[in-house]
Amino acid sequence: MGLDDRKLAVLRAIVEDYVATQEPVGSKALVERHQLGVSPATVRNDMAVLEEEGYIRQPHTSAGRVPTDRGYRLFVDRLSRVKPLSPAERRAIERFLVGAVDLDDVVHRTVRLLAQLTRQVAVVQYPSLARSSVRHLELVPISTTRLMLVMIADTGRVEQRLVELPAPVPANDVTDLRRLVNEKLVGSRLSETPPLVQALVEESPPQLRPAMTTLSTVLLETLVERHEERLALAGTANLTRGGLLDFQGSLRPILEALEEEVVLLKLIGEAEPSTTRVLIGDENEVDNLRAASVVSTGYGPGATIVGGLGVLGPTRMDYPGTIATVRAVARYVGELLAQN
Amino acid sequence: MGLDDRKLAVLRAIVEDYVATQEPVGSKALVERHQLGVSPATVRNDMAVLEEEGYIRQPHTSAGRVPTDRGYRLFVDRLSRVKPLSPAERRAIERFLVGAVDLDDVVHRTVRLLAQLTRQVAVVQYPSLARSSVRHLELVPISTTRLMLVMIADTGRVEQRLVELPAPVPANDVTDLRRLVNEKLVGSRLSETPPLVQALVEESPPQLRPAMTTLSTVLLETLVERHEERLALAGTANLTRGGLLDFQGSLRPILEALEEEVVLLKLIGEAEPSTTRVLIGDENEVDNLRAASVVSTGYGPGATIVGGLGVLGPTRMDYPGTIATVRAVARYVGELLAQN
DNA sequence: ACTGGCACTCGACTGTACCGAGTGCCAGTC
DNA sequence: GACTGGCACTCGGTACAGTCGAGTGCCAGT
């Protein structure tokens, strides 16, 4: 495509100005604010080309130009450098995450921090069970026919579930059950447990069979199938910044999408190693979010990734800044998790 | 106050019409839609009195009347009867809550159900720890100097927390610790545990002292002080119904308030037995919610109350319907909890 | 290849006029 | 004395015309 350096510079200037002012930017204002070294007329010619190529558009015939989703995409891919974080931000992150006492706490602090720093809606996925290993399984007798199953994962997640036994099970049988499931399952990845659980039933001594069968059902259901992902959300109030200009006046679809766990997981859960993913407007597969952009990345102790986090905001967003913040927060959270 | 029956009927009609149409209601429309048996002129006189008394007001000089917060209050207190639920709603409630597998599940289903039925923002408080008793405490060794403390409450809540021991503790000491804390604490109300925990430290054998001291700190912190309340929220998208008319055009303050757990707890957490509380507009102590109304009630197995739930919406709300739904849902949840 | 100039477009804003829903008041009626 | 019909009045909403100005596209000139 015939986009020389100056045209790219013009595009960059348009994006930056529009993000800052939220108003269509015209050729005259552009040359004034950026040292482009050419006249407005020249810029106008460049703009005409950029518009033809679909990178910018005019809201009305006699208005300035506004970047299109495609324009933002080019900007993000080729025209922006990730901003280094300010020392203040760096300090904020550290201060915020120090003193977290458990996983819930870490996740909640993280999501609030992210919302505050980016001034957008933040989403943090709890460490995925699929990517966790069993650290310990505990069986707590509630009554003779009821057990509370508690699973502790290496990522710090703790899941529990009530087990209704088909018949009363004496205390030392519970001890045996506990020993058996732990021997078999501790250390293995959650995603790999199904065959092990199966084996567990088959190998268990006759008098434990019925109980073990029920237990295995619950195990499979809780640990693998249902519910396995959890999310935390913060900063929805930030959607109202920028008046009603962003999101074409209606928050409705956005709020709806934010209530759908499945949707959010799709957005931030598909984390590839160490990349930051940026989805701009239309690129989004969820219809409700066609007016929004999402910046997300994976996090985890060391190089492994156990979950995703990210932010959602208007397409008119400070991409370099947001990307930098999301990355930094993810890195800190990873370090924090590594300490456990 | 000189409000005869007809004036009250007029107020009721105004509230009902305004809630239904969302438009200021005039004298002529009123007599047409309700059988008041008098002429518009008479209604106008009544309206003048109602306005003088502060129950209704005119948005503009030549517009119809709109109820004030005070007017809604009178309506709720004296002019409305709780609507019986439709069979369809009744069925929806039952269907929705059947099949919940654990407390998390119950709470999430409930909050969604409530949001859906009332078409407003729903809030459900998890059973309050303060009102729960200890059913079991579990100590799971993670390493020689780390324990995972898991507390199971009679209300179904499960809380966990990592304990960093000052020195390695052998396995059978952990067993002893477990036995001691359970003997002492099981069955007692969380709010009454502090002196017991204190005693636990003092009575423990010397070699367990250091570990028990640390453990007690964590116990007190986790179970009594911090974090003790949890909430679930749903239906924020409903805030956008009714365009920008409700909430005087800005969702911002509302969304902000909804992110403050403390605020929400104050709203729905102060549950008195079996009453339904209605807070209308200004009656609300939270400034951000001056444009909203809250309908809340307590729930719990049998007659005891373990937590609160409710909905938040515009002052222009179908109070009778909302009150009925909130009550019904609370009752069903109570029954569900009683089964455990 | 760039620039200055110019005619043109069209949204935003302003002022005027008009319509109609709704009111308050008053004299008249049952 | 309570209610009603009638009437003058208010004022928000809408429609229309006119002006202003930012911004554009195009073209001739350097």
Side-chain angles (χ1 to χ4, degrees):
Chain A
M1 234 140 287
L3 290 188
D4 56 32
D5 284 356
R6 199 189 53 224
K7 290 192 184 60
L8 292 176
V10 169
L11 177 57
R12 173 197 275 126
I14 292 175
V15 171
E16 285 172 358
D17 275 21
Y18 183 64
V19 165
T21 66
Q22 196 156 178
E23 267 165 21
V25 11
S27 54
K28 197 175 144 210
L30 253 196
V31 272
E32 273 169 16
R33 267 194 291 220
H34 301 76
Q35 292 81 13
L36 294 172
V38 290
S39 79
T42 310
V43 172
R44 283 206 285 281
N45 289 328
D46 291 348
M47 282 172 148
V49 176
L50 286 170
E51 179 153 20
E52 211 167 308
E53 304 275 350
Y55 296 112
I56 55 179
R57 65 186 178 80
Q58 277 182 291
H60 321 288
T61 312
S62 76
R65 303 307 218 285
V66 163
T68 60
D69 290 349
R70 185 151 181 239
Y72 285 123
R73 167 54 59 201
L74 186 61
F75 174 81
V76 169
D77 287 348
R78 299 187 40 199
L79 300 175
S80 67
R81 216 160 291 285
V82 174
K83 274 187 208 162
L85 287 194
S86 75
E89 286 173 305
R90 222 169 266 288
R91 248 177 295 125
I93 296 178
E94 287 177 38
R95 190 149 19 95
F96 216 84
L97 295 181
V98 157
V101 296
D102 63 7
L103 185 66
D104 260 322
D105 207 14
V106 170
V107 171
H108 280 118
R109 282 173 189 236
T110 305
V111 76
R112 280 172 174 254
L113 172 68
L114 206 51
Q116 197 179 302
L117 288 178
T118 61
R119 312 207 55 185
Q120 263 141 15
V121 181
V123 188
V124 176
Q125 176 192 14
Y126 277 69
S128 164
L129 281 188
R131 302 180 199 241
S132 304
S133 306
V134 179
R135 177 174 276 167
H136 185 86
L137 288 162
E138 189 56 51
L139 294 174
V140 181
I142 300 290
S143 70
T144 52
T145 61
R146 277 185 171 170
L147 295 178
M148 178 73 80
L149 166 69
V150 180
M151 189 225 36
I152 303 176
D154 61 347
T155 47
R157 274 190 69 174
V158 179
E159 294 288 309
Q160 70 276 344
R161 179 83 182 275
L162 208 60
V163 186
E164 300 270 359
L165 297 171
V169 173
N172 37 356
D173 280 4
V174 172
T175 312
D176 287 347
L177 283 171
R178 182 185 299 125
R179 187 176 38 76
L180 286 173
V181 292
N182 273 294
E183 277 173 7
K184 194 73 167 189
L185 299 178
V186 165
S188 51
R189 294 204 132 222
L190 269 273
S191 50
E192 298 160 358
T193 48
L196 299 178
V197 172
Q198 193 49 41
L200 209 46
V201 175
E202 286 156 15
E203 295 164 11
S204 60
Q207 92 273 16
L208 292 182
R209 266 296 168 85
M212 188 62 98
T213 309
T214 317
L215 185 56
S216 74
T217 316
V218 175
L219 265 171
L220 288 177
E221 240 179 74
T222 314
L223 309 188
V224 188
E225 290 163 26
R226 284 174 40 77
H227 228 209
E228 66 176 277
E229 303 301 349
R230 294 189 62 190
L231 289 172
L233 195 69
T236 45
N238 289 331
L239 289 174
T240 61
R241 292 192 315 130
L244 301 169
L245 294 162
D246 304 325
F247 310 119
Q248 64 222 28
S250 171
L251 293 185
R252 179 113 220 213
I254 311 280
L255 286 172
E256 277 172 359
L258 290 177
E259 292 214 346
E260 289 298 327
E261 296 225 330
V262 198
V263 169
L264 291 181
L265 277 171
K266 213 165 159 188
L267 283 183
I268 64 154
E270 298 166 357
E272 303 108 46
S274 79
T275 352
T276 310
R277 193 167 61 150
V278 181
L279 282 177
I280 299 169
D282 249 345
E283 299 170 5
N284 223 305
E285 287 179 16
V286 186
D287 277 339
N288 277 2
L289 299 179
R290 287 287 149 92
S293 284
V294 176
V295 177
S296 63
T297 191
Y299 72 88
T304 56
I305 287 184
V306 299
L309 55 78
V311 306
L312 180 152
T315 48
R316 182 197 66 71
M317 161 195 293
D318 168 20
Y319 291 97
T322 306
I323 292 171
T325 308
V326 167
R327 275 198 196 155
V329 170
R331 200 173 55 245
Y332 276 94
V333 174
E335 286 171 17
L336 211 63
L337 288 183
Q339 288 164 25
N340 289 6
Chain B
M1 234 138 283
L3 292 187
D4 56 33
D5 284 356
R6 198 189 55 223
K7 289 191 183 62
L8 292 176
V10 169
L11 177 57
R12 172 198 276 126
I14 292 175
V15 171
E16 285 172 357
D17 275 22
Y18 183 64
V19 165
T21 66
Q22 196 156 178
E23 268 166 19
V25 10
S27 54
K28 197 175 144 209
L30 255 195
V31 275
E32 273 168 16
R33 266 194 291 219
H34 300 77
Q35 292 81 13
L36 293 172
V38 291
S39 79
T42 311
V43 171
R44 282 206 287 280
N45 288 329
D46 291 348
M47 282 173 148
V49 175
L50 286 169
E51 179 153 21
E52 211 168 309
E53 305 274 351
Y55 295 113
I56 56 179
R57 65 187 178 80
Q58 276 181 292
H60 321 290
T61 313
S62 77
R65 304 306 219 285
V66 163
T68 60
D69 291 349
R70 186 151 180 239
Y72 285 122
R73 168 52 60 198
L74 185 62
F75 174 80
V76 168
D77 287 348
R78 299 188 39 198
L79 300 175
S80 66
R81 218 160 290 285
V82 174
K83 275 188 210 162
L85 288 193
S86 74
E89 286 174 305
R90 222 169 268 286
R91 246 177 297 124
I93 296 179
E94 287 176 37
R95 188 150 19 94
F96 216 84
L97 295 181
V98 157
V101 296
D102 63 6
L103 185 65
D104 261 321
D105 207 15
V106 170
V107 170
H108 280 118
R109 283 173 187 236
T110 305
V111 76
R112 280 172 174 254
L113 171 68
L114 206 50
Q116 197 180 303
L117 288 178
T118 62
R119 313 208 54 184
Q120 263 140 14
V121 181
V123 188
V124 175
Q125 176 193 13
Y126 277 69
S128 164
L129 281 188
R131 303 181 199 240
S132 304
S133 306
V134 179
R135 176 175 276 167
H136 185 85
L137 288 162
E138 190 56 51
L139 294 175
V140 181
I142 299 292
S143 71
T144 51
T145 61
R146 276 184 171 172
L147 295 178
M148 179 72 81
L149 166 68
V150 180
M151 189 224 37
I152 302 176
D154 61 347
T155 47
R157 275 189 67 174
V158 180
E159 294 289 308
Q160 71 276 347
R161 178 82 182 275
L162 209 60
V163 186
E164 300 271 358
L165 298 171
V169 173
N172 38 355
D173 280 3
V174 172
T175 312
D176 287 346
L177 282 171
R178 182 185 298 125
R179 187 176 39 76
L180 286 173
V181 292
N182 273 294
E183 278 172 7
K184 194 69 164 193
L185 300 178
V186 165
S188 51
R189 296 202 128 222
L190 270 271
S191 50
E192 297 160 359
T193 47
L196 299 178
V197 172
Q198 192 50 41
L200 209 46
V201 175
E202 286 156 15
E203 294 165 10
S204 60
Q207 92 272 16
L208 293 182
R209 267 294 169 86
M212 188 62 97
T213 309
T214 316
L215 185 54
S216 75
T217 316
V218 175
L219 265 171
L220 289 177
E221 240 178 76
T222 315
L223 309 187
V224 188
E225 290 162 24
R226 285 176 39 78
H227 228 206
E228 65 177 281
E229 303 301 349
R230 294 189 62 189
L231 289 172
L233 195 67
T236 45
N238 289 330
L239 289 174
T240 61
R241 292 192 313 130
L244 301 169
L245 294 162
D246 304 325
F247 310 120
Q248 64 222 26
S250 171
L251 292 185
R252 179 115 222 210
I254 310 281
L255 286 172
E256 278 173 358
L258 289 177
E259 292 214 346
E260 289 297 327
E261 297 224 331
V262 199
V263 170
L264 291 181
L265 277 172
K266 215 165 158 187
L267 284 183
I268 64 151
E270 299 166 356
E272 303 108 45
S274 78
T275 352
T276 309
R277 195 167 61 150
V278 181
L279 282 177
I280 300 169
D282 248 345
E283 299 169 5
N284 223 305
E285 286 179 17
V286 185
D287 278 340
N288 277 2
L289 298 179
R290 286 288 149 90
S293 286
V294 176
V295 177
S296 64
T297 191
Y299 71 88
T304 56
I305 287 183
V306 299
L309 57 78
V311 308
L312 180 151
T315 48
R316 182 196 68 71
M317 160 195 291
D318 169 19
Y319 291 97
T322 306
I323 292 171
T325 309
V326 167
R327 276 198 196 154
V329 170
R331 200 172 56 244
Y332 275 92
V333 174
E335 285 171 18
L336 211 62
L337 288 183
Q339 288 165 24
N340 289 7

